[in-house]
Amino acid sequence: MNKVVNDPAAALDGIQDGMTLMVGGFGLCGIPENSIAQLVKMGTKNLTCISNNAGVDDFGLGLLLQAKQVKKMISSYVGENDEFERQMLSGELEVDLIPQGSLAERCRAGGAGIPAFFTPAGFGTEVAEGKEVRIFNGKPHILESALTADYAIVKAWKGDTEGNLIYKATARNFNPMMAMAGKITIAEVEELVPAGSLDPNQIHTPGIFVQRIFQGEKFEKRIEQRTVRSKQ
Amino acid sequence: MALDKTGIAKRIAQELQDGWYVNLGIGIPTLVANYIPEGIEVEFQSENGILGMGPFPFEGEEDPDLINAGKKTITAREGASFFDSAMSFAMIRGQHVQLTVLGAMEVSQNGDIANWKIPGKMVKGMGGAMDLVASAENIIVAMMHSNKAGESKILKACTLPLTGVGCVRKVVTELAVLEIKEGKFHLLERAPGVSVEEIIAKTEGDLVVPEFVPEMQL
């Protein structure tokens, strides 16, 4: 099954105001930067974005925040973004902060047909407010529900025309679970190859989870915290 | 003399045991990796998806696809593996990681920890901290004994929104090593040259002080 579309415009066709999007990445690592640029171009408003982070002021999802396209963020850590903090503290932006492991598992559950699960994370904290608590093995756990999205937008290293994906290093992060949890999943890849070119043993995300795939025109891959040691 | 951040990291590194998988949080905990005792082998897990985290790369060899949970560029050691975030937290929740070291804004004498939010002022989010503290058997907190205003952060009860309840076992500050058990802080060691009186004065929570308190050996 050929899932290839020509460009970000074709890939993101159908995304409308008010929709819920999952966007892969951890910090600026493994984010679908061509698709985010396209969303800014489209000007789609009132989006709910599920993403571990909110980018930085001038890159990643920070670009959507600057353009005031986001109504609500569902994230685990949002520390590197001044505009985000301003919008949140002023009440312009709704924010749902979720423990990182719960966020990952909620996406996985959404894609795996598990409506909810119990986790110890967040018990006894604000996160547990209003949630069912049950004791397993003598330890309290809280009920967390699955997350799904109208569109999931993920970034992979290599992909084939069938939508099979391989990620590189820690750019994998949330991308595989989000790919599973989108009603429509768009994969943006650095290298798009014909079916049969990738070793089936090495596939991280099987093509069944991907509806549209395209090769990004260029990837800036900005580094958030460049840290090096000296060669002595 | 009170320890600096490096000193705190060095003291925590003495807690490492051969064969452990260890998760280090952002800040002082990250420095622990620089002081692994000789003759033991540990593997560092970073929750964004790597086991076998190595040192920072040499200049010019940074890979934007290879970072740690603090979003810093890193390297992978021989034998490293990469995985997704759900798998990463399966390792953490499933208690496959033997030690978690993280920072804190406040710790209480029953082992509660607060480190993710100051209402009305700062909301950065909890990241992976809530999953880590809820699941790890062995949690060491690296922190300063007092805040910038000089108020103790070693408390009877936390005042900030909690990250986890009853989970912290040990606290290492610039002044002391404290163990938490039976609802109290127990003074195990003091920093070189730091008096027991100073530690008592700067600890708001209940502190059990034995007759002899050894100095840390760094």
Side-chain angles (χ1 to χ4, degrees):
Chain A
M1 273 179 265
N2 193 329
K3 313 271 178 75
V4 177
V5 293
N6 285 331
D7 52 29
L12 273 60
D13 183 48
I15 296 182
Q16 291 167 13
D17 291 357
M19 281 187 167
T20 296
L21 309 181
M22 283 183 181
V23 183
F26 184 100
L28 301 179
C29 182
I31 59 170
E33 50 183 274
N34 289 281
S35 298
I36 292 169
Q38 179 61 28
L39 278 170
V40 174
K41 214 180 279 177
M42 287 160 67
T44 321
K45 296 257 187 300
N46 289 319
L47 296 170
T48 294
C49 288
I50 303 172
S51 185
N52 187 56
N53 312 90
V56 295
D57 279 320
D58 60 346
F59 201 59
L61 287 182
L63 295 171
L64 291 186
L65 290 163
Q66 294 282 358
K68 304 222 162 57
Q69 292 176 260
V70 183
K71 180 185 71 175
K72 181 176 181 179
M73 280 297 309
I74 300 176
S75 304
S76 89
Y77 187 84
V78 292
E80 326 294 341
N81 192 316
D82 292 338
E83 176 63 12
F84 183 99
E85 200 156 12
R86 189 196 67 70
Q87 289 186 19
M88 177 169 58
L89 292 173
S90 72
E92 288 166 57
L93 179 69
E94 284 176 59
V95 179
D96 196 357
L97 289 167
I98 297 176
Q100 195 175 127
S102 298
L103 180 60
E105 194 65 15
R106 289 176 72 179
C107 295
R108 202 198 73 81
I114 306 283
F117 58 91
F118 282 96
T119 175
F123 172 76
T125 75
E126 285 178 12
V127 166
E129 281 168 20
K131 290 174 185 163
E132 186 184 339
V133 175
R134 271 175 70 178
I135 311 284
F136 296 96
N137 303 318
K139 201 172 156 175
H141 293 71
I142 62 174
L143 186 66
E144 291 281 13
S145 58
L147 288 170
T148 55
D150 296 307
Y151 286 79
I153 310 173
V154 304
K155 150 83 192 348
W157 180 30
K158 294 178 183 177
D160 70 16
T161 50
E162 300 264 326
N164 295 304
L165 304 177
I166 295 175
Y167 308 94
K168 190 177 154 223
T170 56
R172 192 180 322 182
N173 55 63
F174 282 81
N175 285 300
M177 287 80 65
M178 289 183 170
M180 293 166 66
K183 285 179 199 137
I184 294 175
T185 291
I186 299 154
E188 162 177 335
V189 299
E190 290 178 51
E191 195 183 342
L192 182 61
V193 298
S197 312
L198 301 176
D199 178 355
N201 287 301
Q202 306 297 328
I203 301 295
H204 296 133
T205 293
I208 191 169
F209 296 117
V210 175
Q211 279 68 47
R212 304 174 189 171
I213 188 167
F214 72 99
Q215 182 172 305
E217 194 184 338
K218 65 177 176 63
F219 289 88
E220 179 183 336
K221 292 201 186 183
R222 195 184 294 185
I223 293 176
E224 206 164 329
Q225 307 256 357
R226 185 180 302 274
T227 318
V228 296
R229 69 191 146 130
S230 58
K231 274 184 195 163
Q232 292 162 14
Chain B
M1 257 254 304
L3 302 178
D4 57 9
K5 290 176 177 180
T6 305
I8 295 174
K10 278 185 185 166
R11 177 58 191 84
I12 290 173
Q14 294 173 5
E15 304 282 320
L16 298 173
Q17 290 184 22
D18 192 35
W20 273 6
Y21 291 98
V22 179
N23 181 290
L24 301 177
I26 298 165
I28 302 173
T30 309
L31 302 174
V32 173
N34 299 332
Y35 304 103
I36 305 167
E38 279 205 25
I40 74 163
E41 224 181 298
V42 295
E43 290 270 2
F44 294 108
Q45 197 251 21
S46 195
E47 64 267 26
N48 59 315
I50 174 173
L51 255 183
M53 181 171 40
F56 297 134
F58 291 121
E59 199 164 352
E61 294 177 7
E62 311 93 297
D63 179 352
D65 291 324
L66 183 47
I67 62 169
N68 65 15
K71 300 173 185 107
K72 291 183 158 67
T73 45
I74 53 160
T75 54
R77 291 177 41 169
E78 280 184 9
S81 57
F82 301 120
F83 35 84
D84 65 52
S85 302
M87 174 80 82
S88 179
F89 283 92
M91 293 174 191
I92 290 163
R93 261 188 259 98
Q95 300 188 337
H96 306 282
V97 174
Q98 278 80 21
L99 174 66
T100 292
V101 184
L102 74 174
M105 297 172 188
E106 295 178 344
V107 168
S108 79
Q109 62 195 33
N110 66 340
D112 294 353
I113 175 172
N115 71 355
W116 73 283
K117 182 178 183 182
I118 302 173
K121 271 195 200 159
M122 185 284 287
V123 185
K124 292 191 184 300
M126 65 293 279
M130 284 193 181
D131 309 89
L132 282 158
V133 300
S135 308
E137 288 275 287
N138 193 3
I139 297 169
I140 299 178
V141 169
M143 65 190 293
M144 302 310 276
H145 221 91
S146 311
N147 63 20
K148 283 182 185 133
E151 297 155 344
S152 181
K153 294 156 71 171
I154 313 291
L155 304 171
K156 287 187 166 64
C158 293
T159 63
L160 296 170
L162 295 180
T163 307
V165 292
C167 53
V168 179
R169 290 275 187 86
K170 210 173 245 185
V171 181
V172 179
T173 75
E174 80 281 19
L175 303 179
V177 179
L178 306 168
E179 188 182 16
I180 296 174
K181 59 180 182 193
E182 290 147 8
K184 287 189 167 94
F185 292 105
H186 294 250
L187 181 56
L188 297 186
E189 293 174 25
R190 59 201 168 83
V194 169
S195 69
V196 169
E197 289 69 31
E198 182 179 353
I199 297 166
I200 293 171
K202 289 185 174 168
T203 304
E204 193 257 358
D206 294 338
L207 181 66
V208 177
V209 182
E211 212 161 301
F212 175 70
V213 182
E215 276 193 2
M216 297 179 203
Q217 301 295 314
L218 294 169

